[in-house]
Amino acid sequence: QVIAYSRRRYRILGETLDVAVGNCIDRLARLLPIPNAPSPGYNVEQLAKSPEQFGGTLKSVFHDPQAVTPKLLESGEATPEDLCFSLQETAFAMLAEVTERALALTRARHLLLVGGVAC
């Protein structure tokens, strides 16, 4: 969730419709399979640093990694690095966009990030 405190009230300015971003990253890590140590998100981030390609079709991984991931890997259309990069870029772009809007709406000068994905 993206929540703002303004005019003595909390406002929800953005939230996921189905699965939290951290949960989605963890699901992709389990599908690939990527080790849990030190954390799935960290390991996804490391793989995301060396993609071979980034295409619009890979954005669909964010919406349903369980259905899309095996097909892309089996067909050779994408590598684990491509999928990690795609998921990370899509998720974080969405978070940055809603956060920018929240800051503009509330005219806030400070931002506090909390939770596993924020780490």
Side-chain angles (χ1 to χ4, degrees):
Q1 291 183 324
V2 176
I3 302 172
Y5 183 75
S6 177
R7 299 181 188 147
R8 297 184 0 202
R9 28 174 36 182
Y10 287 98
R11 299 182 197 173
I12 297 174
L13 300 172
E15 60 187 334
T16 60
L17 298 176
D18 49 11
V19 64
V21 174
N23 191 342
C24 186
I25 292 170
D26 290 349
R27 284 173 58 193
L28 179 65
R30 281 192 299 275
L31 285 169
L32 285 180
I34 295 174
N36 278 332
S39 75
Y42 174 80
N43 293 326
V44 166
E45 182 179 357
Q46 298 314 303
L47 282 174
K49 291 179 179 180
S50 57
E52 293 179 16
Q53 62 180 340
F54 178 66
T57 59
L58 297 181
K59 284 199 305 189
S60 60
V61 171
F62 182 77
H63 299 290
D64 192 358
Q66 226 159 348
V68 177
T69 301
K71 293 176 188 170
L72 291 171
L73 292 172
E74 288 170 13
S75 70
E77 189 177 338
T79 66
E81 291 83 1
D82 296 333
L83 297 175
C84 289
F85 179 82
S86 179
L87 177 71
Q88 188 171 284
E89 286 295 305
T90 302
F92 294 157
M94 294 165 74
L95 290 170
E97 183 179 330
V98 73
T99 301
E100 287 173 1
R101 276 193 259 140
L103 288 169
L105 178 69
T106 61
R107 296 186 183 128
R109 295 184 327 168
H110 304 284
L111 173 68
L112 176 64
L113 300 173
V114 297
V117 173
C119 289

